[in-house]
Amino acid sequence: MTKYVYDFAEGGKDMKDLLGGKGANLAEMTVLGLPVPPGFVITTEACTSYLRTGELPDELAAEVEEHLVALETAMGKRLGDAEDPLLISVRSGGKFSMPGMMDTVLNIGLNDESVVGLAKQSGSDRFAWDSYRRLVQMFSKTVLGLDGEAFDEAFDAAKHDKGTKDDLQLDAQDLERIVGQFQDIVAEQTGKRFPQDPRVQMELAVRAVFESWNTDRAKLYRRQERIPHDLGTAVSVCSMVFGNLGMDSGTGVAFTRDPGSGAQGVYGDYLQNAQGEDVVAGIRNTLPLQQLADLDRTSYDQLMATMATLERHYRDLCDIEFTIERGKLWMLQTRVGKRTAGAAFRIATQLVDEGLITEDEALLRVTGAQLAQLMFPRFGSIDEATTLTTGMGASPGAAVGRVVFDSKTAVQWKERGEDVILVRRETNPDDLAGMIASAGILTSRGGKTSHAAVVARGMGKTCVCGAEELEVDLHARTLRGPDGTVVKEGDVLSIDGTSGAVFLGTVSVTPSPVVQYFEGELEAQDGDDLVQAVHRLMSQADATRRLGVRTNADTPEDSERARRFGAQGIGLCRTEHMFLGERRQLVEDLVLADGDEEHARALAALLPLQREDFVGILRAMDGLPVTVRLLDPPLHEFLPDYVELQVEVAVAEATGSPVDPKRAALLDHVRRLHEANPMIGLRGVRLGLVIPGLFEIQVRALAEAAAQLKAEGLDPRPEVMVPLVSAVQELEIVREAAERVLSEVAAETGQDVTTLIGTMIEIPRAALTSGSIAESADFFSFGTNDLTQMGYGFSRDDVEVSFFGRYLELGVFGVSPFESIDEAGIGRLVQISVEEGRAVKPDLKIGVCGEHGGDPASVHFFHQAGLDYVSCSPFRVPVARLEAGRAALESVGSDTR
């Protein structure tokens, strides 16, 4: 029989699949002997069963009752007892942290009778009614699904009547009246009284937490973070401890290191006379954790010792939630903390130096996505900038954009191409879509542990929190600075997520020092601790990886930059990019040539230009392979626009104007060549076979360029790649012609340059017949963009606009297959091709040259599939290098498990 409920003492941190991250870590702290309030966990399996059937599992009620009775016995109290009530919290917690995305309910067990008992036992009427007020408000929004605005308005009105903005100034009588008003709202909106049976409250709360797994905001967050949708959430049921018992109580969030920078020290927020959601919601500005030492030295010292224990135990930055109840410290949660990209690199190397982890483990603690974040620019000189205010730097970076005041507007403006800064008093989970759309986030409330800060750090978004001097008026859609400056929606702000500075207008940005390091402009030893951390981990990745990393480059400048970034050659040189602009006419002349003489003249015009291009690229990549793809794009890209020609001739005929005979003849020619679907028409190898001499002239230009450089004493290593092959016969014909040209150039120049000839695998038929194709190929290179298009039957340019957004919303895709390789479908074609090709030629060199080659998740797949290299744009080369090292380590780990 399936076990659905575990006591905290029965679990551990390695049971996250079953107990969720929160439950597993509460269990781990319990086992470690840390002060954790007693409780139990309802498993993710119960959640997935409920979401699948709509009903709680039959066995669950009995198991929950058994553990609840045991909890009552341990605490010496009964849930909802009128004299001395036990109160519990019902908290969500999936395997992966999803801060603020799912629901939690505190103070379950309070009703009209038990609130009196709680007041009597605690000696504080105010505390009891404040706790009941919180339950009714939270339960109504979370479990009953009521609009929270009515409760907020009633609460604000009570404070207004009292002449205060501080909820701590409300006394017991005020809070009792508010509870009555809240209950009236519930009755008015539901037609029923607020539930008085504590066990009914608990069951409804458990159902609500399960259902919160599938809220729009939770699904959006999972898509953003690539968390699987089928995991479900566990529910932690925990006896309540109270930080709102008075000024000798409080609640806080702490980090064992600064999650923003990685610096060691005391970091966190503390709020007196409050419950946990007050800190995260940012409804009152918190105190720095260091001030707890002045308020309660004993609890502070105990907290510091506990934090040290947890960091040593988890061997990582820990994020901790705690409550102090009248001088007694309780641990409510710990987890490996989210951190910024810079903090991730710094902390990983710090932990190596402290002997807690190895260099390999450090490499696994950082990601290519984080490295990419570090390569973005930051603000340059701010001497001329006008500072509006300074808040708390919660997530580093430099963000410039137009001010918007709500999530919906942020999304709309982003869709029309605007960079935006989302400004809120504080964010909540419903703001997630706007946070994703924004370049940066600015709030007037909250600290480094507020919702805005935690979510922004997880997404790598620039964020400034707690800018208290700003008056944010959501109705007028303005914010006012401390000097009276008014910023309207649409005005530009620049925010610095490191210093917390907020500037009026646009502030210029400067290159990242990490990019300067990769460019060779900054030696590692001369850089700051971040550059040194990046250097150490990149060195470890290069020493560990099996995959080579090449670049996609079409110019000497791109080639040189990619080489500085660590590229080991060119995996894709697109020759069609050399015929853009003024050169486009040369290809048009070749395609439209009338007769052998025009044809020969057009080919002759191409040769010196191509040769010059190849000399520059081969020189930049001296000693490294350069894979040149022969002309690939659809024919229509090199022809005059068919519709424009039709209109031009038709207008001339309709107005009686003379029709230019050349334009009329050109229209006839273009009409003959016009294709309904050019992406799968006359392009690639087909174009090379239909237009005699086209591919031969490109091969000759490449061979002559290589021969020239070899004569200079350099070491050119050209490779010829034939695009869009679907049958081995196509490759055989091109290969025969290319080998003939290579022999002619060798004889003419006296320079014999070894040149490999291979093909792109980008048509499903090519992947499925790779065994025969390999007989005529020295190498394969997967063109995963076209392979994805043809495998799915998509036209990428159309579908990404027309329906991909809807597919992502519906969960058809977890991520666009053009962003990360579709392992189950397109990836299977890759695997088949590798297996068949290597069965014929065991030493067949195989790579990938689509942009998937720079996608972190795809790099891991290509490692597992046995490819020799990946190739990507120059800027993504460091990312691919890092992920290739991580993929090698993860592969070793999976082989030994």
Side-chain angles (χ1 to χ4, degrees):
M1 185 176 72
T2 302
K3 180 178 171 66
Y4 287 116
V5 184
Y6 288 75
D7 187 88
F8 287 167
E10 297 179 280
K13 64 182 176 66
D14 296 326
M15 297 176 67
K16 291 181 181 178
D17 285 338
L18 195 61
L19 305 184
K22 184 172 294 178
N25 288 323
L26 282 168
E28 188 74 10
M29 289 195 293
T30 299
V31 172
L32 288 173
L34 298 176
V36 177
F40 55 87
V41 186
I42 303 172
T43 67
T44 56
E45 291 180 347
C47 176
T48 55
S49 174
Y50 176 76
L51 295 177
R52 185 173 60 253
T53 65
E55 297 294 336
L56 296 173
D58 294 337
E59 310 94 314
L60 183 61
E63 283 192 65
V64 169
E65 183 64 23
E66 177 186 344
H67 281 78
L68 182 57
V69 169
L71 179 60
E72 290 175 326
T73 301
M75 297 297 292
K77 301 180 180 183
R78 289 189 305 109
L79 184 66
D81 183 75
E83 297 297 326
D84 188 10
L86 170 68
L87 303 187
I88 59 174
S89 62
V90 172
R91 299 173 180 264
S92 60
K95 177 181 179 180
F96 299 103
S97 175
M98 296 171 54
M101 296 302 113
M102 293 181 293
D103 290 335
T104 287
V105 184
L106 307 180
N107 304 316
I108 287 175
L110 280 173
N111 56 29
D112 293 349
E113 295 180 356
S114 62
V115 67
V116 178
L118 182 64
K120 181 179 178 181
Q121 289 298 322
S122 66
S124 172
D125 289 354
R126 187 195 184 283
F127 155 70
W129 285 104
D130 182 49
S131 298
Y132 196 15
R133 183 272 304 177
R134 292 170 183 271
L135 170 65
V136 178
Q137 186 171 8
M138 186 179 290
F139 192 96
S140 298
K141 292 168 61 177
T142 298
V143 180
L144 302 181
L146 304 185
D147 187 351
E149 188 171 341
F151 299 93
D152 294 337
E153 288 176 353
F155 195 51
D156 289 343
K159 289 189 286 185
H160 180 270
D161 292 344
K162 194 80 171 183
T164 183
K165 294 183 179 181
D166 186 354
D167 56 317
L168 293 181
Q169 299 304 311
L170 299 176
D171 59 26
Q173 288 74 29
D174 298 324
L175 292 166
E176 183 176 358
R177 280 194 299 272
I178 291 170
V179 168
Q181 292 173 349
F182 282 5
Q183 290 181 330
D184 290 342
I185 294 171
V186 172
E188 181 181 327
Q189 295 193 18
T190 68
K192 299 177 182 179
R193 288 186 66 208
F194 181 80
Q196 295 293 299
D197 185 333
R199 278 170 165 74
V200 170
Q201 293 176 1
M202 183 178 70
E203 180 180 332
L204 291 175
V206 169
R207 288 176 181 266
V209 171
F210 283 164
E211 291 168 2
S212 72
W213 176 259
N214 280 334
T215 60
D216 289 342
R217 71 187 187 221
K219 289 189 285 188
L220 177 61
Y221 186 87
R222 290 198 294 273
R223 285 197 298 271
Q224 174 77 10
E225 299 297 316
R226 301 189 186 181
I227 297 172
H229 291 291
D230 59 354
L231 299 179
T233 180
V235 174
S236 297
V237 178
C238 190
S239 51
M240 284 292 301
V241 291
F242 301 98
N244 59 330
L245 268 167
M247 299 306 285
D248 60 349
S249 304
T251 188
V253 176
F255 298 91
T256 56
R257 301 176 193 235
D258 185 351
S261 69
Q264 295 170 285
V266 180
Y267 296 93
D269 299 313
Y270 182 69
L271 197 57
Q272 289 178 280
N273 199 13
Q275 287 195 333
E277 75 272 15
D278 297 339
V279 177
V280 177
I283 61 173
R284 278 190 278 144
N285 283 334
T286 56
L287 300 175
L289 187 59
Q290 294 93 325
Q291 290 191 25
L292 177 59
D294 300 325
L295 300 171
D296 183 348
R297 187 73 203 193
T298 300
S299 295
Y300 176 81
D301 290 342
Q302 187 181 1
L303 177 63
M304 293 300 105
T306 300
M307 290 167 62
T309 297
L310 288 171
E311 183 170 271
R312 286 194 302 271
H313 183 72
Y314 282 87
R315 301 185 306 136
D316 207 344
L317 160 70
C318 289
D319 172 353
I320 296 163
E321 295 181 16
F322 67 93
T323 283
I324 297 173
E325 180 181 294
R326 289 180 172 167
K328 166 68 175 173
L329 175 69
W330 293 98
M331 306 304 296
L332 303 185
Q333 177 171 308
T334 191
R335 59 192 173 197
V336 172
K338 291 186 179 294
R339 66 209 69 185
T340 64
F345 276 80
R346 290 188 181 99
I347 291 171
T349 52
Q350 288 168 5
L351 294 174
V352 172
D353 295 339
E354 293 166 26
L356 291 176
I357 62 175
T358 66
E359 293 276 5
D360 283 349
E361 288 175 306
L363 182 55
L364 291 172
R365 298 283 180 91
V366 297
T367 68
Q370 290 170 331
L371 179 61
Q373 290 176 27
L374 297 179
M375 296 173 69
F376 290 119
R378 57 185 62 184
F379 287 137
S381 172
I382 59 173
D383 293 342
E384 303 299 321
T386 301
T387 302
L388 177 65
T389 190
T390 299
M392 185 179 298
S395 184
V400 181
R402 298 188 180 278
V403 169
V404 295
F405 289 95
D406 65 79
S407 180
K408 182 179 179 181
T409 304
V411 172
Q412 291 173 341
W413 288 26
K414 175 65 175 177
E415 288 175 349
R416 73 188 196 195
E418 299 271 11
D419 288 330
V420 299
I421 303 293
L422 178 63
V423 177
R424 305 285 287 165
R425 293 193 185 102
E426 69 272 340
T427 63
N428 62 60
D430 293 331
D431 290 319
L432 181 63
M435 296 174 76
I436 292 172
S438 300
I441 300 148
L442 170 63
T443 70
S444 60
R445 301 175 183 168
K448 285 191 175 182
T449 57
S450 65
H451 175 268
V454 172
V455 174
R457 281 197 296 270
M459 293 192 299
K461 295 280 185 181
T462 299
C463 180
V464 174
C465 287
E468 301 177 8
E469 295 178 327
L470 295 180
E471 294 181 18
V472 178
D473 188 334
L474 299 179
H475 294 290
R477 308 189 81 77
T478 62
L479 65 88
R480 183 183 298 273
D483 62 353
T485 299
V486 175
V487 177
K488 301 175 182 177
E489 188 162 67
D491 291 345
V492 174
L493 287 182
S494 300
I495 63 173
D496 187 331
T498 301
S499 69
V502 179
F503 304 103
L504 293 172
T506 300
V507 177
S508 62
V509 295
T510 190
S512 157
V514 172
V515 170
Q516 292 177 310
Y517 156 69
F518 285 130
E519 290 275 20
E521 299 171 3
L522 180 67
E523 294 295 330
Q525 63 269 22
D526 298 328
D528 60 15
D529 59 345
L530 176 58
V531 170
Q532 292 173 23
V534 169
H535 172 73
R536 286 177 62 178
L537 293 175
M538 291 302 298
S539 299
Q540 185 67 14
D542 288 338
T544 304
R545 63 185 169 92
R546 178 190 60 77
L547 277 174
V549 177
R550 299 191 191 181
T551 191
N552 302 338
D554 316 315
T555 66
E557 294 76 21
D558 278 350
S559 303
E560 290 166 358
R561 187 179 205 204
R563 187 164 190 164
R564 292 193 298 270
F565 277 25
Q568 296 163 292
I570 292 178
L572 175 63
C573 175
R574 306 174 184 88
T575 53
E576 62 271 14
H577 286 190
M578 301 172 181
F579 294 102
L580 300 176
E582 295 179 358
R583 291 189 181 185
R584 182 177 178 276
Q585 185 65 44
L586 298 174
V587 180
E588 180 181 322
D589 292 345
L590 177 62
V591 173
L592 300 179
D594 186 10
D596 292 343
E597 184 177 341
E598 284 189 16
H599 186 83
R601 189 163 54 248
L603 285 175
L606 288 175
L607 178 60
L609 297 174
Q610 283 270 268
R611 182 172 57 234
E612 179 185 355
D613 292 330
F614 292 144
V615 165
I617 292 171
L618 289 169
R619 188 185 301 278
M621 283 290 171
D622 182 46
L624 296 175
V626 174
T627 304
V628 174
R629 182 178 71 184
L630 301 178
L631 206 62
D632 177 58
L635 188 60
H636 75 281
E637 293 189 10
F638 292 109
L639 297 176
D641 185 89
Y642 178 44
V643 175
E644 289 182 3
L645 273 175
Q646 283 182 305
V647 171
E648 177 186 334
V649 173
V651 168
E653 292 174 343
T655 59
S657 302
V659 177
D660 185 340
K662 291 184 178 180
R663 301 298 285 175
L666 182 60
L667 175 60
D668 289 339
H669 205 144
V670 172
R671 183 182 290 117
R672 287 196 304 273
L673 295 172
H674 179 69
E675 297 175 305
N677 194 339
M679 290 304 295
I680 54 175
L682 185 57
R683 56 173 286 213
V685 67
R686 304 159 191 170
L687 190 64
L689 296 181
V690 168
I691 300 179
L694 174 59
F695 280 2
E696 286 92 330
I697 204 70
Q698 289 193 289
V699 173
R700 172 170 285 276
L702 181 61
E704 289 180 356
Q708 175 184 327
L709 294 177
K710 190 170 184 181
E712 295 176 13
L714 300 182
D715 180 20
R717 300 185 184 184
E719 300 178 352
V720 174
M721 183 158 67
V722 184
L724 216 71
V725 165
S726 59
V728 66
Q729 292 86 353
E730 294 170 317
L731 180 59
E732 288 172 343
I733 294 169
V734 174
R735 183 181 187 100
E736 180 181 353
E739 288 178 336
R740 182 177 63 253
V741 171
L742 292 171
S743 296
E744 290 172 358
V745 172
E748 294 165 5
T749 62
Q751 301 291 340
D752 188 6
V753 180
T754 300
T755 305
L756 302 182
I757 301 173
T759 184
M760 293 187 78
I761 303 294
E762 50 190 334
I763 293 178
R765 187 182 190 279
L768 297 172
T769 60
S770 290
S772 62
I773 293 176
E775 294 177 357
S776 294
D778 297 324
F779 64 87
F780 286 171
S781 182
F782 291 101
T784 50
N785 294 338
D786 270 338
L787 191 60
T788 299
Q789 285 197 106
M790 297 188 195
Y792 268 102
F794 287 155
S795 169
R796 177 178 182 177
D797 292 340
D798 297 324
V799 299
E800 288 192 319
V801 174
S802 60
F803 67 82
F804 262 32
R806 182 59 175 156
Y807 266 39
L808 289 166
E809 289 176 10
L810 294 172
V812 177
F813 300 142
V815 63
S816 165
F818 293 108
E819 182 180 339
S820 281
I821 190 78
D822 161 41
E823 296 185 16
I826 308 306
R828 182 71 187 118
L829 291 174
V830 170
Q831 291 169 325
I832 290 170
S833 179
V834 171
E835 292 164 5
E836 292 205 0
R838 292 239 171 94
V840 172
K841 284 186 178 177
D843 59 348
L844 184 69
K845 184 169 62 175
I846 303 177
V848 59
C849 59
E851 271 305 295
H852 288 112
D855 169 63
S858 302
V859 170
H860 288 245
F861 170 78
F862 295 133
H863 173 92
Q864 293 288 352
L867 272 61
D868 295 302
Y869 67 87
V870 296
S871 187
C872 55
S873 61
F875 194 79
R876 301 184 87 179
V877 165
V879 172
R881 288 166 53 201
L882 186 81
E883 288 295 347
R886 298 180 70 246
L889 292 175
E890 290 183 355
S891 177
V892 170
S894 63
D895 290 343
T896 58
R897 282 195 287 271

